[in-house]
Amino acid sequence: MSNVETLWIVIPAFNEGSVIGTVVASVRARYPYVVVVDDCSRDDTGAAAVGAGAVVLRHPVNLGQGAALATGMRYVLSRGAEFLVTFDADGQHRTEDITVLVERQRETGSDVVLGSRFLGATPGMPPVRRFALKLVVQCMRLTGKSAKSDVHNGLRLFTRRAAQQIQIRQNRMAHASEIITQIETLGLSTCEAPVTIMYTKYSLSKGQRLSNGLSIIWDTVAARMYR
C-alpha cells in the first residue's frame, strides 16, 4: 500500500463538537479522505467536522458506535476505498499510529491490522478501564474466541476484502468483540500493531467511568448469548 488516495479514515462521532475539528484536521494533514459519521449529535459535531474538511454522514437518530462504523464502512466502500482505518473521535488516537497500521499491513499482507494499546502505551489509563478491557480479553480467550491482546481498540485497518465481508450487527459497544469474532470465523488474516491510547481529561469525562467499563462486559456477554 503506497497511495494515500486508496485509504479512507472512518470516524464515528457523538457529541464531540469541542474536539472533532482538531481530530479531523490532524488526520487530514496526512490522509485526505476522512468520513465522520455523526450519530445524531446534539451539538455542532457535524458542522465542526465539515469545517475541518471531512465528509459528514448523519444518523437521524442515535444508534451507537457500531452502527456508525457500519454506515461509514459502507460509504467508503462505495467510494472505492481499498483500505480503511477506523479512528476514534475523542482525541485518544494519534494520527501517526495510522502509519504504524499501514506499515504493518504492508509488511504482513494481513486482511486486518488491529491496534493494541497493551503492546504499545496507555498514558493516563484508569485502573478500572484496564481491568474491564483485560477481563473482556480473558473472557474471549476462555471461550476460545480470540487470543488478541486488545479487543476493544477502535484503531483498526481493514483491506477492502475484509471490510466487504464483515457485517456489524451490534450497534453499541459489543461491536468490537463482534468484529474480532467475525474476523476469525471468516478466516481473515490478522495481526496486531503497537499503538498509543492517550487518556485525557476530556476522554475520561466522556467514557472511562466504571459504568462504561461494565457496559463493555455486559454488551459482550449479551452479544454471545443472542448470536
Side-chain angles (χ1 to χ4, degrees):
M1 187 196 332
S2 59
N3 191 344
V4 297
E5 294 185 359
T6 67
L7 175 66
W8 280 75
I9 313 301
V10 176
I11 305 178
F14 176 64
N15 292 343
E16 303 284 6
S18 64
V19 297
I20 190 64
T22 300
V23 170
V24 170
S26 175
V27 173
R28 290 195 71 246
R30 299 190 186 189
Y31 301 97
Y33 295 104
V34 177
V35 57
V36 171
V37 183
D38 180 3
D39 194 26
C40 196
S41 297
R42 298 185 296 271
D43 64 5
D44 64 344
T45 292
V50 168
V55 174
V56 176
L57 312 176
R58 179 172 170 83
H59 285 167
V61 296
N62 179 254
L63 296 175
Q65 190 179 71
L69 283 174
T71 295
M73 291 171 75
R74 286 193 299 270
Y75 176 81
V76 302
L77 288 173
S78 76
R79 303 296 293 179
E82 292 298 327
F83 304 90
L84 68 91
V85 168
T86 62
F87 196 89
D88 285 355
D90 61 3
Q92 286 195 53
H93 293 160
R94 305 185 309 166
T95 300
E96 53 263 43
D97 281 335
I98 297 175
T99 304
V100 173
L101 301 187
V102 169
E103 291 178 349
R104 184 74 170 137
Q105 197 284 327
R106 184 184 295 117
E107 292 167 358
T108 65
S110 296
D111 295 311
V112 182
V113 181
L114 303 170
S116 173
R117 78 198 85 192
F118 298 118
L119 298 179
T122 57
M125 186 179 196
V128 67
R129 182 68 167 177
R130 181 179 297 274
F131 170 78
L133 292 171
K134 288 287 191 179
L135 183 57
V136 171
V137 168
Q138 289 304 315
C139 286
M140 295 191 74
R141 286 179 175 174
L142 287 172
T143 57
K145 299 299 182 182
S146 177
K148 300 297 181 291
S149 66
D150 192 359
V151 176
H152 276 262
N153 193 329
L155 188 55
R156 322 170 185 89
L157 180 149
F158 300 90
T159 63
R160 182 178 183 86
R161 171 177 180 266
Q164 286 176 323
Q165 294 184 63
I166 291 171
Q167 302 294 320
I168 300 175
R169 299 181 180 88
Q170 295 294 327
N171 282 355
R172 299 195 179 274
M173 295 309 294
H175 75 275
S177 301
E178 180 187 36
I179 287 172
I180 300 296
T181 300
Q182 287 197 33
I183 288 170
E184 297 181 354
T185 300
L186 293 166
L188 298 171
S189 59
T190 183
C191 64
E192 293 185 289
V195 299
T196 296
I197 303 296
M198 300 179 294
Y199 292 85
T200 65
K201 183 177 180 180
Y202 175 81
S203 68
L204 292 173
S205 70
K206 288 284 292 185
Q208 307 306 331
R209 300 179 300 272
L210 174 60
S211 59
N212 295 93
L214 295 176
S215 292
I216 290 174
I217 298 170
W218 169 248
D219 284 349
T220 302
V221 171
R224 296 197 174 281
M225 289 174 61
Y226 296 105
R227 187 163 58 89

